[in-house]
Amino acid sequence: MTQAAEPARTVILTVDDDPGVSRAVARDLRRHYGAGYRIVRAESGESALEALRELKLRGDLVAVILADYRMPQMNGIEFLEQALNVYPGARRVLLTAYADTDAAIDAINVVDLDHYLLKPWDPPEEKLYPVVDDLLSAWRSSDYRPVPATKVVGHRWSARSSQVREFLARNQVPYRWYSSDEPEGRRLLEAAGADGQRLPLVVTPECTVLIEPEAADLAAHVGLATTPAADFYDLVVIGGGPAGLGAAVYGASEGLRTVLVERSATGGQAGQSSRIENYLGFPDGVSGAQLTERARRQAGRFGAEILTAREVTGLEVNGPARVVRFSDGSSVAAHSVILATGVSYRQLMAPGCDDLTGRGVYYGSSLTEAASCQGHDVYIVGGANSAGQAAMYLSRGAKSVTLLVRGESLTVSMSYYLIQQIEEAPNISVRTRTVVESAQGEEHLERLALRDVDTGATELVDAQWMFVFIGAAPLTDWLDGTVLRDDRGFILAGPDLTPDGRPPAEWPLDRPPYHLETNIPGVFVAGDARAQSAKRVASAVGEGAMAVMLVHRYLEQS
């Protein structure tokens, strides 16, 4: 029986490098599903990914993806792994020969494979259509529904345009980018009555026009929650990185009325990572965006509220309540608070970097810029895991990637598995004992002056792209005078508060602080913002869960 038609002409995509097989799959699918679905055919993983990205930009839906396992350059598993980033809700099928069934079984864990189909599948009425019918039924019962895309018009080298694109991408908001000097961009500017001098221009699916929007205004107009639903909670989690998301999941799942407050986008630094390969349970790695989106949906499913683009500026004690104040003057109160504010990348102090930030100089991996680096020389400043992960990701399309490292080698600060990958990558080079003396350019980055730390010799190199990962600074200045911190700004908690075994001088309770508890009872810290923390995704998630356990203990005794 033919499936009912989808009003939006939802896509079923098939990819196989054998033209004959590719046409046969598409023929069989069109015969049974053509009345209700659009069948898209590709003959390589790269062309299929390009098609998926175009569909995503248009706001089209993809329900099922069928990929052949044995394809050159990019096999079916590798393709489905990348397709997962574009359409995480699409159901995934691997077409495989009998000899490759072991690979298909492995793919179940790697890419959450929904089914593997042995070739040939004749007759399709028995071997193909029942499988696809079940997958379409499962897809329709999921929460992936059409989301009209937001349109962004900006200038290629506009820092604010880059910030808006990054904000939308990290918050999983579908958008389409138009350059202000292209015909469609000019048409949108004219339709909106904008002169093009103030960019970016944002047009929401409801046709609301925003010019140079601030994050809070943009969030409110693209469907992100920015206002708490209540005035009082059991738990307020400040920060949406791995520690904060972990705390929100465990807090909400254990019955605490929980709200998570994030100033920019969930995921923190980990959410910007192109690939995390040492996180438990993902033997083939997972992107920060994938991990973040799963955690965010998981927290929401348990009932946690997630507020975006809300900047916290103060924390007060009001009897048994802990009051969190926002930059707009409003506030929310709770029995307990978990500080999971994380860290930000330190700014590179070399002359020219401030002026060129967002115009060739970027902090973090800035995955939204990766496509523009195709065929270019890219420089990455830093020698820790985040720099290594960005180098591996950008090397896929860049002409060359150069890691600039102040130290003598990568071994002090980078995981061994990443060092091995970098050594094996033909277009990645590492320059040790090298620092950026200055960044130069008019409209955008054009050159870098590099200095050898040992000899003092300076070299000028052509460069349009520089990504900076030079250590972490805790986002805790707003806690000054309230929560105790060390001389670098990291939050002190538990045993670090009581090195001599005695509670802090102003500690009001008879018991000593719990392990992750700050000098304020009921206020806990988790993740990278805590002094002496491990600075790893797994430990941050674990601390978020542990902090919730201690919150329960605190509430039971209050």
Side-chain angles (χ1 to χ4, degrees):
M1 178 178 177
T2 302
Q3 292 284 337
E6 291 283 340
R9 291 285 289 178
T10 300
V11 169
I12 299 174
L13 182 140
T14 174
V15 52
D16 195 303
D17 67 299
D18 185 325
V21 175
S22 179
R23 285 191 294 269
V25 177
R27 179 201 64 215
D28 288 343
L29 290 172
R30 286 196 183 96
R31 182 181 300 162
H32 197 66
Y33 303 101
Y37 295 84
R38 180 184 168 200
I39 310 303
V40 175
R41 180 172 69 90
E43 293 184 0
S44 73
E46 288 292 346
S47 61
L49 284 174
E50 184 177 349
L52 286 175
R53 294 185 187 111
E54 291 178 0
L55 292 167
K56 186 72 169 182
L57 288 174
R58 291 203 301 264
D60 293 343
L61 296 174
V62 176
V64 176
I65 300 173
L66 301 95
D68 182 58
Y69 172 63
R70 287 182 176 267
M71 293 190 293
Q73 285 82 50
M74 180 186 298
N75 67 37
I77 296 175
E78 293 168 339
F79 161 71
L80 288 173
E81 186 177 13
Q82 294 192 46
L84 192 66
N85 289 330
V86 186
Y87 279 96
R91 304 295 161 165
R92 293 167 290 280
V93 180
L94 193 68
L95 304 177
T96 179
Y98 182 81
D100 297 323
T101 52
D102 287 343
I105 293 171
D106 290 340
I108 293 173
N109 293 323
V110 176
V111 294
D112 292 340
L113 192 69
D114 295 294
H115 199 87
Y116 69 91
L117 196 62
L118 291 176
K119 298 187 294 184
W121 52 85
D122 289 328
E125 290 78 7
E126 294 180 13
K127 297 184 178 180
L128 176 65
Y129 300 150
V131 171
V132 177
D133 285 348
D134 288 343
L135 294 176
L136 288 172
S137 177
W139 180 85
R140 281 197 302 271
S141 66
S142 70
D143 57 356
Y144 288 92
R145 291 290 178 264
V147 180
T150 295
K151 298 179 178 66
V152 181
V153 182
H155 191 274
R156 176 67 197 86
W157 298 114
S158 159
R160 185 60 191 141
S161 296
S162 177
Q163 291 166 3
V164 165
R165 293 171 66 195
E166 186 83 0
F167 178 87
L168 294 173
R170 291 188 59 200
N171 281 291
Q172 306 291 316
V173 177
Y175 75 93
R176 186 160 189 177
W177 164 259
Y178 301 90
S179 176
S180 59
D181 56 8
E182 294 178 354
E184 185 62 23
R186 289 195 293 268
R187 283 193 287 269
L188 285 169
L189 288 170
E190 183 179 354
D195 57 13
Q197 298 301 309
R198 297 173 59 204
L199 294 173
L201 165 79
V202 178
V203 182
T204 71
E206 293 74 28
C207 295
T208 300
V209 174
L210 307 171
I211 298 177
E212 294 183 314
E214 295 298 325
D217 195 30
L218 181 59
H221 281 89
V222 296
L224 299 174
T226 60
T227 305
D231 296 324
F232 198 90
Y233 293 82
D234 295 316
L235 172 63
V236 173
V237 180
I238 303 175
L245 287 167
V249 167
Y250 280 91
S253 68
E254 293 176 10
L256 298 178
R257 185 164 192 187
T258 302
V259 60
L260 183 150
V261 181
E262 167 56 46
R263 67 172 190 160
S264 178
T266 51
Q269 284 187 327
Q272 300 177 65
S273 175
S274 57
R275 194 173 186 84
I276 302 168
E277 297 196 61
N278 56 356
Y279 188 72
L280 185 67
F282 293 87
D284 293 277
V286 61
S287 74
Q290 284 179 352
L291 194 62
T292 296
E293 177 60 14
R294 293 182 183 192
R296 183 184 176 107
R297 287 194 287 116
Q298 191 175 16
R301 185 169 66 85
F302 285 123
E305 290 181 42
I306 298 180
L307 308 183
T308 306
R310 294 306 301 266
E311 184 176 2
V312 177
T313 57
L315 175 64
E316 300 173 6
V317 177
N318 186 4
R322 306 294 179 256
V323 181
V324 174
R325 299 207 172 274
F326 301 123
S327 57
D328 64 357
S330 62
S331 64
V332 66
H335 290 300
S336 59
V337 172
I338 294 177
L339 303 172
T341 51
V343 294
S344 63
Y345 290 111
R346 294 187 185 277
Q347 303 294 295
L348 190 61
M349 302 309 294
C353 287
D354 283 349
D355 293 338
L356 294 171
T357 297
R359 298 188 292 132
V361 177
Y362 303 94
Y363 290 87
S365 54
S366 194
L367 298 184
T368 55
E369 304 296 336
S372 302
C373 298
Q374 297 281 328
H376 290 255
D377 297 315
V378 176
Y379 288 83
I380 296 176
V381 184
N385 278 11
S386 52
Q389 290 161 355
M392 291 303 302
Y393 180 76
L394 292 170
S395 69
R396 298 176 184 175
K399 178 182 177 182
S400 72
V401 176
T402 303
L403 272 167
L404 305 175
V405 184
R406 178 186 289 271
E408 295 183 356
S409 73
L410 295 173
T411 56
V412 175
S413 53
M414 189 177 292
S415 294
Y416 178 66
Y417 79 89
L418 269 176
I419 295 174
Q420 286 185 306
Q421 291 178 4
I422 288 170
E423 290 176 347
E424 294 170 0
N427 61 338
I428 299 180
S429 60
V430 181
R431 292 184 55 163
T432 57
R433 305 295 287 163
T434 303
V435 297
V436 176
E437 185 79 2
S438 66
Q440 305 170 16
E442 297 299 326
E443 187 179 72
H444 58 85
L445 178 66
E446 298 173 6
R447 294 171 300 279
L448 290 174
L450 307 180
R451 177 170 57 85
D452 186 294
V453 173
D454 297 319
T455 67
T458 300
E459 176 188 0
L460 202 62
V461 298
D462 292 333
Q464 286 188 312
W465 307 95
M466 180 173 70
F467 299 89
V468 182
F469 306 82
I470 54 170
L475 302 171
T476 59
D477 288 347
W478 59 279
L479 292 168
D480 192 27
T482 306
V483 173
L484 293 179
R485 299 172 294 153
D486 66 16
D487 56 3
R488 294 189 299 159
F490 291 94
I491 297 170
L492 298 171
D496 293 322
L497 283 169
T498 60
D500 56 1
R502 291 180 297 178
E506 298 180 1
W507 180 255
L509 304 179
D510 294 334
R511 64 167 177 82
Y514 295 132
H515 181 66
L516 298 177
E517 196 169 22
T518 69
N519 60 298
I520 300 177
V523 176
F524 300 82
V525 61
D528 290 359
R530 183 178 66 83
Q532 308 301 320
S533 63
K535 308 296 187 292
R536 288 290 186 267
V537 176
S539 61
V541 173
E543 286 192 5
M546 182 188 295
V548 170
M549 178 191 73
L550 298 174
V551 164
H552 278 290
R553 189 179 301 176
Y554 167 77
L555 294 177
E556 289 168 359
Q557 297 182 2
S558 297

